């Protein structure tokens, strides 16, 4: 069973050690980070072990995600960052990296270059014993491509973002589609208005939990 966790980076002003101690005292059993703590990922893992917290996943870099489908330095740099994220997860024994496969409501088509990069990313994760969890975003066809393309890959699964489902793709119930491949969740609230990804605390918005 997945443990209830909270993002390590939700409040400014606390050191990672202070934050993790607080998380534990509040009753959470897990945490996750993005790549802000890249140079300290193993240290974060050590602190999690100290407080008996599960380091559930790392959110991979996603700024400029659409560049992965285009030629150019931006796509090359982001692809390199994704590979490095997998390396960091492996070094810190974090089991899963959450990956965005598109950005915005009008991303470019999935190109051959983009497909090749995602294939290489999945293969790199397999070699490093790291799972890749593709997250639901604004355009469901991209997630569908990934889940179908990598359906035989044991290290590929689904990150269910409840907030995204209710403000980006209302009417699609992702758990009925990919629940059997669930690796992790993002639980947050919003006002269920198109594009309004507010990342509110649960019950502070209009999602019917």
């Amino acid at each position: 069973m997945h443990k209830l966790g909270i993002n390590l980076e939700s409040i400014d002003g606390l050191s990672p050690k202070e934050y993790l101690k607080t998380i534990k005292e509040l009753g959470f059993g897990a945490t996750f980070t993005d790549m802000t703590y890249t140079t300290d990922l193993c240290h974060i893992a050590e602190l999690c072990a100290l407080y008996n917290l599960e380091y559930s996943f790392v959110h991979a870099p996603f700024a400029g995600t659409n560049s992965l489908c285009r030629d150019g330095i931006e796509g090359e740099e982001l692809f390199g960052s994704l590979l490095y994220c997998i390396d960091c997860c492996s070094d810190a024994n974090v089991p899963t990296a959450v990956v965005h496969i598109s950005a915005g409501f009008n991303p470019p088509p999935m190109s051959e270059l983009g497909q090749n990069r995602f294939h290489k990313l999945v293969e790199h994760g397999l070699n490093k014993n790291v799972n890749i969890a593709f997250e639901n975003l604004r355009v469901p066809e991209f997630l569908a491509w990934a889940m179908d393309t990598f359906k035989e890959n044991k290290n590929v699964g689904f990150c269910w973002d409840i907030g995204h489902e209710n403000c980006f793709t209302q009417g699609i119930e992702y758990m009925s589609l990919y629940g059997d491949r669930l690796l992790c969740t993002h639980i947050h609230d919003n006002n269920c208005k198109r594009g309004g990804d507010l990342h509110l605390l649960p019950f502070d918005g209009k999602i019917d939990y």
Side-chain angles (χ1 to χ4, degrees):
M1 178 179 292
H2 293 285
K3 294 182 179 180
L4 183 64
I6 189 169
N7 185 1
L8 179 60
E9 300 152 315
S10 297
I11 300 175
D12 293 329
L14 293 178
S15 69
K17 186 173 183 178
E18 292 170 327
Y19 208 122
L20 290 168
K21 182 175 183 291
T22 302
I23 287 173
K24 183 64 176 181
E25 290 172 347
L26 290 173
F28 290 100
T31 191
F32 75 94
T33 70
D34 60 24
M35 288 297 287
T36 301
Y37 290 103
T38 299
T39 56
D40 292 326
L41 217 62
C42 290
H43 179 57
I44 299 299
E46 291 172 357
L47 292 175
C48 285
L50 176 65
Y51 293 112
N52 194 28
L53 290 167
E54 179 183 287
Y55 197 168
S56 299
F57 60 88
V58 169
H59 202 307
F62 58 87
T65 293
N66 290 336
S67 67
L68 292 170
C69 289
R70 304 187 182 109
D71 285 315
I73 188 64
E74 185 180 5
E76 283 296 319
E77 289 180 346
L78 178 56
F79 181 57
S81 295
L82 292 174
L83 295 176
Y84 181 56
C85 177
I86 299 301
D87 292 337
C88 291
C89 288
S90 179
D91 291 343
N93 292 316
V94 179
T96 300
V98 172
V99 173
H100 285 194
I101 197 167
S102 66
F105 284 106
N106 296 291
M110 177 58 72
S111 65
E112 182 177 354
L113 175 61
Q115 293 181 42
N116 289 337
R117 283 172 169 162
F118 282 112
H119 275 280
K120 290 177 181 177
L121 181 67
V122 168
E123 182 179 3
H124 190 59
L126 184 63
N127 291 335
K128 292 287 187 173
N129 197 32
V130 175
N131 298 318
I132 308 293
F134 288 109
E135 182 177 351
N136 57 296
L137 294 155
R138 294 167 180 82
V139 182
E141 288 80 5
F142 282 81
L143 177 62
W145 173 82
M147 300 305 285
D148 181 63
T149 299
F150 302 112
K151 61 186 176 183
E152 302 300 328
N153 294 76
K154 295 181 179 180
N155 70 314
V156 173
F158 173 48
C159 171
W160 182 33
D161 191 304
I162 294 171
H164 291 174
E165 180 177 304
N166 283 275
C167 72
F168 291 153
T169 54
Q170 292 175 338
I172 297 178
E173 296 183 358
Y174 285 98
M175 283 296 286
S176 65
L177 297 172
Y178 311 122
D180 60 337
R181 299 175 68 184
L182 185 69
L183 291 175
C184 55
T185 58
H186 290 169
I187 303 172
H188 52 104
D189 214 333
N190 56 57
N191 292 327
C192 300
K193 294 182 179 179
R194 179 176 169 82
D197 187 22
L198 302 178
H199 284 256
L200 302 175
L201 289 172
F203 308 108
D204 279 359
K206 296 184 178 180
I207 295 177
D208 183 1
Y209 278 96

Short mmCIF file of all heavy atoms in Angstrom, two decimals, residues 151-204:
data_model
loop_
_atom_site.label_atom_id
_atom_site.label_comp_id
_atom_site.label_asym_id
_atom_site.label_seq_id
_atom_site.Cartn_x
_atom_site.Cartn_y
_atom_site.Cartn_z
N LYS A 151 3.76 -0.66 -22.81
CA LYS A 151 2.89 -1.55 -22.03
C LYS A 151 3.59 -2.83 -21.60
O LYS A 151 3.18 -3.47 -20.63
CB LYS A 151 1.63 -1.88 -22.81
CG LYS A 151 1.85 -2.59 -24.13
CD LYS A 151 0.53 -2.73 -24.89
CE LYS A 151 0.73 -3.34 -26.27
NZ LYS A 151 -0.55 -3.41 -27.02
N GLU A 152 4.64 -3.20 -22.29
CA GLU A 152 5.38 -4.41 -21.92
C GLU A 152 6.58 -4.11 -21.02
O GLU A 152 7.27 -5.03 -20.59
CB GLU A 152 5.85 -5.13 -23.19
CG GLU A 152 4.74 -5.54 -24.14
CD GLU A 152 3.74 -6.48 -23.51
OE1 GLU A 152 4.14 -7.27 -22.63
OE2 GLU A 152 2.55 -6.42 -23.88
N ASN A 153 6.83 -2.84 -20.75
CA ASN A 153 7.97 -2.45 -19.93
C ASN A 153 7.58 -2.43 -18.46
O ASN A 153 6.75 -1.62 -18.04
CB ASN A 153 8.48 -1.08 -20.34
CG ASN A 153 9.08 -1.07 -21.74
OD1 ASN A 153 8.35 -1.08 -22.73
ND2 ASN A 153 10.40 -1.05 -21.83
N LYS A 154 8.18 -3.30 -17.68
CA LYS A 154 7.81 -3.43 -16.27
C LYS A 154 8.17 -2.19 -15.45
O LYS A 154 7.62 -2.00 -14.35
CB LYS A 154 8.48 -4.67 -15.68
CG LYS A 154 7.98 -5.98 -16.29
CD LYS A 154 8.65 -7.19 -15.65
CE LYS A 154 8.13 -8.48 -16.26
NZ LYS A 154 8.80 -9.68 -15.65
N ASN A 155 9.09 -1.37 -15.95
CA ASN A 155 9.50 -0.20 -15.19
C ASN A 155 8.72 1.06 -15.59
O ASN A 155 9.07 2.16 -15.18
CB ASN A 155 10.99 0.06 -15.34
CG ASN A 155 11.38 0.54 -16.73
OD1 ASN A 155 10.92 -0.04 -17.73
ND2 ASN A 155 12.22 1.57 -16.81
N VAL A 156 7.68 0.91 -16.38
CA VAL A 156 6.87 2.06 -16.81
C VAL A 156 5.47 1.95 -16.23
O VAL A 156 4.84 0.89 -16.29
CB VAL A 156 6.79 2.15 -18.34
CG1 VAL A 156 5.81 3.24 -18.77
CG2 VAL A 156 8.17 2.43 -18.93
N GLY A 157 5.00 3.06 -15.65
CA GLY A 157 3.66 3.07 -15.08
C GLY A 157 3.06 4.46 -15.12
O GLY A 157 3.48 5.32 -15.91
N PHE A 158 2.11 4.68 -14.23
CA PHE A 158 1.26 5.86 -14.28
C PHE A 158 1.35 6.66 -13.00
O PHE A 158 1.32 6.10 -11.90
CB PHE A 158 -0.19 5.40 -14.52
CG PHE A 158 -1.24 6.47 -14.45
CD1 PHE A 158 -1.08 7.67 -15.11
CD2 PHE A 158 -2.40 6.26 -13.72
CE1 PHE A 158 -2.05 8.66 -15.05
CE2 PHE A 158 -3.38 7.24 -13.65
CZ PHE A 158 -3.21 8.44 -14.32
N CYS A 159 1.49 7.98 -13.13
CA CYS A 159 1.34 8.90 -12.00
C CYS A 159 0.00 9.60 -12.15
O CYS A 159 -0.19 10.39 -13.09
CB CYS A 159 2.47 9.92 -11.96
SG CYS A 159 2.21 11.23 -10.73
N TRP A 160 -0.93 9.33 -11.26
CA TRP A 160 -2.27 9.91 -11.33
C TRP A 160 -2.29 11.25 -10.62
O TRP A 160 -2.16 11.31 -9.40
CB TRP A 160 -3.29 8.96 -10.71
CG TRP A 160 -4.71 9.44 -10.78
CD1 TRP A 160 -5.28 10.19 -11.76
CD2 TRP A 160 -5.74 9.18 -9.83
NE1 TRP A 160 -6.60 10.42 -11.49
CE2 TRP A 160 -6.91 9.80 -10.30
CE3 TRP A 160 -5.78 8.47 -8.63
CZ2 TRP A 160 -8.11 9.75 -9.60
CZ3 TRP A 160 -6.98 8.41 -7.94
CH2 TRP A 160 -8.14 9.04 -8.42
N ASP A 161 -2.45 12.33 -11.39
CA ASP A 161 -2.57 13.67 -10.83
C ASP A 161 -4.05 14.02 -10.79
O ASP A 161 -4.67 14.31 -11.82
CB ASP A 161 -1.79 14.68 -11.67
CG ASP A 161 -1.67 16.03 -10.98
OD1 ASP A 161 -2.72 16.60 -10.63
OD2 ASP A 161 -0.53 16.52 -10.79
N ILE A 162 -4.62 14.02 -9.59
CA ILE A 162 -6.05 14.24 -9.42
C ILE A 162 -6.44 15.67 -9.80
O ILE A 162 -7.47 15.91 -10.42
CB ILE A 162 -6.46 13.93 -7.96
CG1 ILE A 162 -6.28 12.44 -7.69
CG2 ILE A 162 -7.90 14.36 -7.68
CD1 ILE A 162 -6.44 12.07 -6.23
N GLY A 163 -5.59 16.63 -9.43
CA GLY A 163 -5.86 18.00 -9.79
C GLY A 163 -5.90 18.20 -11.29
O GLY A 163 -6.81 18.84 -11.83
N HIS A 164 -4.94 17.63 -12.01
CA HIS A 164 -4.90 17.75 -13.46
C HIS A 164 -6.14 17.14 -14.10
O HIS A 164 -6.69 17.71 -15.06
CB HIS A 164 -3.65 17.06 -14.02
CG HIS A 164 -2.38 17.76 -13.68
ND1 HIS A 164 -1.14 17.25 -14.00
CD2 HIS A 164 -2.14 18.95 -13.06
CE1 HIS A 164 -0.20 18.08 -13.58
NE2 HIS A 164 -0.78 19.12 -13.00
N GLU A 165 -6.57 16.00 -13.59
CA GLU A 165 -7.75 15.35 -14.16
C GLU A 165 -8.97 16.25 -14.11
O GLU A 165 -9.79 16.27 -15.03
CB GLU A 165 -8.04 14.03 -13.43
CG GLU A 165 -9.25 13.29 -13.96
CD GLU A 165 -9.46 11.95 -13.27
OE1 GLU A 165 -8.52 11.12 -13.28
OE2 GLU A 165 -10.55 11.74 -12.73
N ASN A 166 -9.08 17.03 -13.03
CA ASN A 166 -10.28 17.82 -12.82
C ASN A 166 -10.22 19.24 -13.38
O ASN A 166 -11.24 19.93 -13.39
CB ASN A 166 -10.59 17.87 -11.32
CG ASN A 166 -11.22 16.58 -10.82
OD1 ASN A 166 -12.42 16.39 -10.91
ND2 ASN A 166 -10.39 15.67 -10.32
N CYS A 167 -9.06 19.68 -13.84
CA CYS A 167 -9.00 21.01 -14.46
C CYS A 167 -8.50 20.99 -15.90
O CYS A 167 -8.62 21.99 -16.60
CB CYS A 167 -8.17 21.97 -13.62
SG CYS A 167 -6.39 21.69 -13.64
N PHE A 168 -7.94 19.87 -16.33
CA PHE A 168 -7.43 19.78 -17.70
C PHE A 168 -8.27 18.88 -18.60
O PHE A 168 -8.47 19.19 -19.77
CB PHE A 168 -5.98 19.26 -17.70
CG PHE A 168 -4.97 20.21 -17.12
CD1 PHE A 168 -3.80 19.73 -16.55
CD2 PHE A 168 -5.17 21.58 -17.15
CE1 PHE A 168 -2.84 20.59 -16.03
CE2 PHE A 168 -4.22 22.46 -16.63
CZ PHE A 168 -3.06 21.96 -16.06
N THR A 169 -8.72 17.76 -18.08
CA THR A 169 -9.38 16.75 -18.93
C THR A 169 -10.64 16.22 -18.24
O THR A 169 -10.78 15.01 -18.02
CB THR A 169 -8.43 15.59 -19.25
OG1 THR A 169 -7.90 15.07 -18.01
CG2 THR A 169 -7.27 16.06 -20.12
N GLN A 170 -11.54 17.12 -17.89
CA GLN A 170 -12.77 16.70 -17.22
C GLN A 170 -13.53 15.70 -18.08
O GLN A 170 -13.63 15.84 -19.29
CB GLN A 170 -13.64 17.92 -16.92
CG GLN A 170 -13.04 18.84 -15.88
CD GLN A 170 -13.87 20.10 -15.68
OE1 GLN A 170 -14.63 20.48 -16.54
NE2 GLN A 170 -13.70 20.74 -14.53
N GLY A 171 -14.03 14.66 -17.43
CA GLY A 171 -14.77 13.62 -18.14
C GLY A 171 -13.95 12.38 -18.40
O GLY A 171 -14.50 11.33 -18.74
N ILE A 172 -12.63 12.49 -18.25
CA ILE A 172 -11.76 11.32 -18.40
C ILE A 172 -11.39 10.82 -17.01
O ILE A 172 -10.86 11.57 -16.20
CB ILE A 172 -10.49 11.66 -19.19
CG1 ILE A 172 -10.84 12.09 -20.61
CG2 ILE A 172 -9.54 10.46 -19.23
CD1 ILE A 172 -9.65 12.51 -21.46
N GLU A 173 -11.66 9.56 -16.75
CA GLU A 173 -11.31 8.95 -15.47
C GLU A 173 -10.09 8.06 -15.69
O GLU A 173 -10.19 6.93 -16.16
CB GLU A 173 -12.49 8.15 -14.92
CG GLU A 173 -13.70 9.03 -14.59
CD GLU A 173 -14.84 8.24 -13.97
OE1 GLU A 173 -14.72 7.00 -13.85
OE2 GLU A 173 -15.86 8.88 -13.63
N TYR A 174 -8.94 8.60 -15.34
CA TYR A 174 -7.69 7.93 -15.66
C TYR A 174 -7.48 6.62 -14.91
O TYR A 174 -6.83 5.71 -15.42
CB TYR A 174 -6.52 8.87 -15.40
CG TYR A 174 -6.38 9.94 -16.45
CD1 TYR A 174 -6.89 11.22 -16.23
CD2 TYR A 174 -5.75 9.69 -17.66
CE1 TYR A 174 -6.78 12.21 -17.19
CE2 TYR A 174 -5.62 10.68 -18.62
CZ TYR A 174 -6.14 11.93 -18.38
OH TYR A 174 -6.03 12.91 -19.34
N MET A 175 -8.04 6.52 -13.72
CA MET A 175 -7.84 5.28 -12.97
C MET A 175 -8.51 4.10 -13.64
O MET A 175 -8.05 2.96 -13.53
CB MET A 175 -8.32 5.44 -11.53
CG MET A 175 -7.36 6.22 -10.66
SD MET A 175 -5.77 5.39 -10.45
CE MET A 175 -6.25 4.08 -9.33
N SER A 176 -9.61 4.34 -14.34
CA SER A 176 -10.26 3.25 -15.06
C SER A 176 -9.43 2.82 -16.27
O SER A 176 -9.56 1.69 -16.74
CB SER A 176 -11.66 3.67 -15.52
OG SER A 176 -11.59 4.74 -16.47
N LEU A 177 -8.57 3.71 -16.74
CA LEU A 177 -7.72 3.41 -17.89
C LEU A 177 -6.37 2.80 -17.48
O LEU A 177 -5.91 1.84 -18.10
CB LEU A 177 -7.46 4.69 -18.69
CG LEU A 177 -8.67 5.36 -19.33
CD1 LEU A 177 -8.27 6.72 -19.92
CD2 LEU A 177 -9.28 4.48 -20.40
N TYR A 178 -5.75 3.36 -16.44
CA TYR A 178 -4.39 2.99 -16.11
C TYR A 178 -4.18 2.64 -14.65
O TYR A 178 -3.04 2.55 -14.19
CB TYR A 178 -3.43 4.14 -16.48
CG TYR A 178 -3.63 4.69 -17.87
CD1 TYR A 178 -3.94 6.04 -18.08
CD2 TYR A 178 -3.53 3.87 -19.00
CE1 TYR A 178 -4.12 6.55 -19.35
CE2 TYR A 178 -3.72 4.36 -20.28
CZ TYR A 178 -4.02 5.71 -20.45
OH TYR A 178 -4.21 6.20 -21.71
N GLY A 179 -5.27 2.46 -13.91
CA GLY A 179 -5.14 2.19 -12.49
C GLY A 179 -4.34 0.94 -12.16
O GLY A 179 -3.70 0.86 -11.10
N ASP A 180 -4.35 -0.02 -13.06
CA ASP A 180 -3.60 -1.25 -12.81
C ASP A 180 -2.10 -1.05 -12.97
O ASP A 180 -1.31 -1.94 -12.66
CB ASP A 180 -4.08 -2.37 -13.74
CG ASP A 180 -3.91 -2.05 -15.22
OD1 ASP A 180 -3.84 -0.86 -15.56
OD2 ASP A 180 -3.87 -3.00 -16.03
N ARG A 181 -1.70 0.15 -13.42
CA ARG A 181 -0.28 0.45 -13.59
C ARG A 181 0.14 1.64 -12.74
O ARG A 181 1.16 2.27 -12.98
CB ARG A 181 0.02 0.73 -15.07
CG ARG A 181 -0.31 -0.47 -15.96
CD ARG A 181 -0.14 -0.17 -17.42
NE ARG A 181 1.26 0.05 -17.77
CZ ARG A 181 1.67 0.42 -18.99
NH1 ARG A 181 0.78 0.61 -19.95
NH2 ARG A 181 2.95 0.59 -19.24
N LEU A 182 -0.65 1.92 -11.69
CA LEU A 182 -0.40 3.07 -10.84
C LEU A 182 0.90 2.90 -10.05
O LEU A 182 1.11 1.89 -9.39
CB LEU A 182 -1.57 3.25 -9.86
CG LEU A 182 -1.51 4.49 -8.97
CD1 LEU A 182 -1.71 5.76 -9.79
CD2 LEU A 182 -2.56 4.39 -7.87
N LEU A 183 1.75 3.91 -10.13
CA LEU A 183 3.00 3.92 -9.36
C LEU A 183 2.98 4.96 -8.25
O LEU A 183 3.58 4.76 -7.20
CB LEU A 183 4.19 4.18 -10.28
CG LEU A 183 4.55 3.06 -11.27
CD1 LEU A 183 5.68 3.52 -12.19
CD2 LEU A 183 4.97 1.80 -10.53
N CYS A 184 2.30 6.10 -8.48
CA CYS A 184 2.26 7.15 -7.47
C CYS A 184 1.13 8.12 -7.80
O CYS A 184 0.54 8.06 -8.89
CB CYS A 184 3.60 7.89 -7.37
SG CYS A 184 4.19 8.58 -8.93
N THR A 185 0.83 9.02 -6.87
CA THR A 185 -0.25 9.98 -7.06
C THR A 185 0.20 11.39 -6.70
O THR A 185 1.11 11.59 -5.89
CB THR A 185 -1.47 9.63 -6.18
OG1 THR A 185 -1.05 9.59 -4.81
CG2 THR A 185 -2.07 8.30 -6.57
N HIS A 186 -0.46 12.36 -7.32
CA HIS A 186 -0.39 13.77 -6.91
C HIS A 186 -1.80 14.17 -6.49
O HIS A 186 -2.70 14.23 -7.32
CB HIS A 186 0.08 14.66 -8.06
CG HIS A 186 1.50 14.48 -8.44
ND1 HIS A 186 2.05 15.02 -9.58
CD2 HIS A 186 2.52 13.82 -7.82
CE1 HIS A 186 3.33 14.72 -9.66
NE2 HIS A 186 3.64 13.98 -8.61
N ILE A 187 -1.98 14.44 -5.21
CA ILE A 187 -3.30 14.75 -4.68
C ILE A 187 -3.35 16.21 -4.29
O ILE A 187 -2.64 16.65 -3.37
CB ILE A 187 -3.62 13.86 -3.46
CG1 ILE A 187 -3.52 12.38 -3.85
CG2 ILE A 187 -5.01 14.17 -2.90
CD1 ILE A 187 -3.64 11.43 -2.68
N HIS A 188 -4.15 16.99 -5.01
CA HIS A 188 -4.33 18.40 -4.69
C HIS A 188 -5.67 18.86 -5.25
O HIS A 188 -6.35 18.10 -5.92
CB HIS A 188 -3.17 19.25 -5.24
CG HIS A 188 -2.88 19.04 -6.70
ND1 HIS A 188 -3.24 19.93 -7.68
CD2 HIS A 188 -2.27 18.02 -7.34
CE1 HIS A 188 -2.85 19.48 -8.85
NE2 HIS A 188 -2.25 18.32 -8.68
N ASP A 189 -6.05 20.08 -4.95
CA ASP A 189 -7.39 20.55 -5.26
C ASP A 189 -7.35 21.77 -6.18
O ASP A 189 -6.32 22.42 -6.34
CB ASP A 189 -8.12 20.91 -3.95
CG ASP A 189 -9.61 20.61 -3.99
OD1 ASP A 189 -10.19 20.63 -5.10
OD2 ASP A 189 -10.19 20.37 -2.92
N ASN A 190 -8.49 22.05 -6.80
CA ASN A 190 -8.67 23.26 -7.61
C ASN A 190 -10.17 23.53 -7.74
O ASN A 190 -10.98 22.83 -7.12
CB ASN A 190 -7.98 23.11 -8.98
CG ASN A 190 -8.46 21.89 -9.74
OD1 ASN A 190 -9.64 21.72 -10.01
ND2 ASN A 190 -7.51 21.01 -10.10
N ASN A 191 -10.53 24.50 -8.56
CA ASN A 191 -11.94 24.87 -8.72
C ASN A 191 -12.60 24.20 -9.91
O ASN A 191 -13.69 24.60 -10.33
CB ASN A 191 -12.07 26.39 -8.83
CG ASN A 191 -11.73 27.09 -7.52
OD1 ASN A 191 -11.96 26.54 -6.45
ND2 ASN A 191 -11.14 28.28 -7.61
N CYS A 192 -11.93 23.18 -10.47
CA CYS A 192 -12.48 22.39 -11.58
C CYS A 192 -12.79 23.24 -12.80
O CYS A 192 -13.75 22.97 -13.53
CB CYS A 192 -13.72 21.61 -11.12
SG CYS A 192 -13.41 20.45 -9.77
N LYS A 193 -12.00 24.28 -13.02
CA LYS A 193 -12.14 25.13 -14.19
C LYS A 193 -10.97 24.87 -15.13
O LYS A 193 -9.83 24.74 -14.69
CB LYS A 193 -12.17 26.60 -13.80
CG LYS A 193 -13.40 27.00 -12.98
CD LYS A 193 -13.40 28.48 -12.66
CE LYS A 193 -14.64 28.87 -11.86
NZ LYS A 193 -14.64 30.32 -11.53
N ARG A 194 -11.26 24.83 -16.42
CA ARG A 194 -10.26 24.48 -17.42
C ARG A 194 -9.01 25.35 -17.28
O ARG A 194 -9.08 26.58 -17.32
CB ARG A 194 -10.84 24.62 -18.83
CG ARG A 194 -9.85 24.30 -19.95
CD ARG A 194 -10.55 24.37 -21.30
NE ARG A 194 -9.64 24.34 -22.42
CZ ARG A 194 -9.10 23.26 -22.95
NH1 ARG A 194 -9.40 22.08 -22.46
NH2 ARG A 194 -8.29 23.33 -23.98
N GLY A 195 -7.89 24.71 -17.10
CA GLY A 195 -6.62 25.40 -17.02
C GLY A 195 -6.26 25.89 -15.64
O GLY A 195 -5.15 26.36 -15.43
N GLY A 196 -7.18 25.78 -14.68
CA GLY A 196 -6.94 26.32 -13.35
C GLY A 196 -6.25 25.33 -12.43
O GLY A 196 -6.86 24.78 -11.50
N ASP A 197 -4.97 25.10 -12.69
CA ASP A 197 -4.18 24.14 -11.91
C ASP A 197 -3.65 24.85 -10.67
O ASP A 197 -2.51 25.32 -10.64
CB ASP A 197 -3.05 23.60 -12.77
CG ASP A 197 -2.27 22.47 -12.12
OD1 ASP A 197 -2.83 21.82 -11.22
OD2 ASP A 197 -1.12 22.25 -12.52
N LEU A 198 -4.45 24.93 -9.62
CA LEU A 198 -4.17 25.78 -8.47
C LEU A 198 -3.31 25.13 -7.40
O LEU A 198 -2.73 25.81 -6.57
CB LEU A 198 -5.50 26.24 -7.84
CG LEU A 198 -6.44 27.00 -8.77
CD1 LEU A 198 -7.73 27.34 -8.03
CD2 LEU A 198 -5.80 28.25 -9.33
N HIS A 199 -3.27 23.81 -7.37
CA HIS A 199 -2.51 23.07 -6.36
C HIS A 199 -2.91 23.49 -4.94
O HIS A 199 -2.05 23.78 -4.10
CB HIS A 199 -0.99 23.22 -6.57
CG HIS A 199 -0.48 22.38 -7.70
ND1 HIS A 199 0.23 21.22 -7.50
CD2 HIS A 199 -0.58 22.52 -9.04
CE1 HIS A 199 0.55 20.69 -8.66
NE2 HIS A 199 0.06 21.46 -9.61
N LEU A 200 -4.20 23.53 -4.69
CA LEU A 200 -4.71 23.82 -3.35
C LEU A 200 -4.66 22.56 -2.50
O LEU A 200 -4.57 21.44 -3.01
CB LEU A 200 -6.16 24.30 -3.45
CG LEU A 200 -6.44 25.53 -4.30
CD1 LEU A 200 -7.95 25.77 -4.37
CD2 LEU A 200 -5.72 26.75 -3.74
N LEU A 201 -4.74 22.75 -1.19
CA LEU A 201 -4.88 21.60 -0.31
C LEU A 201 -6.21 20.90 -0.57
O LEU A 201 -7.20 21.55 -0.92
CB LEU A 201 -4.84 22.06 1.16
CG LEU A 201 -3.50 22.55 1.70
CD1 LEU A 201 -3.69 23.15 3.09
CD2 LEU A 201 -2.49 21.42 1.74
N PRO A 202 -6.26 19.58 -0.46
CA PRO A 202 -7.53 18.88 -0.61
C PRO A 202 -8.62 19.48 0.28
O PRO A 202 -8.34 19.83 1.44
CB PRO A 202 -7.19 17.45 -0.20
CG PRO A 202 -5.74 17.30 -0.54
CD PRO A 202 -5.14 18.65 -0.25
N PHE A 203 -9.79 19.62 -0.27
CA PHE A 203 -10.98 20.18 0.36
C PHE A 203 -10.99 21.71 0.39
O PHE A 203 -11.95 22.31 0.87
CB PHE A 203 -11.19 19.63 1.77
CG PHE A 203 -11.18 18.13 1.84
CD1 PHE A 203 -10.10 17.45 2.41
CD2 PHE A 203 -12.20 17.37 1.29
CE1 PHE A 203 -10.08 16.08 2.46
CE2 PHE A 203 -12.18 15.99 1.33
CZ PHE A 203 -11.11 15.34 1.92
N ASP A 204 -9.94 22.36 -0.12
CA ASP A 204 -9.95 23.82 -0.24
C ASP A 204 -10.50 24.27 -1.59
O ASP A 204 -10.68 25.47 -1.82
CB ASP A 204 -8.54 24.39 -0.07
CG ASP A 204 -8.14 24.51 1.40
OD1 ASP A 204 -8.96 24.17 2.27
OD2 ASP A 204 -6.99 24.92 1.67
#
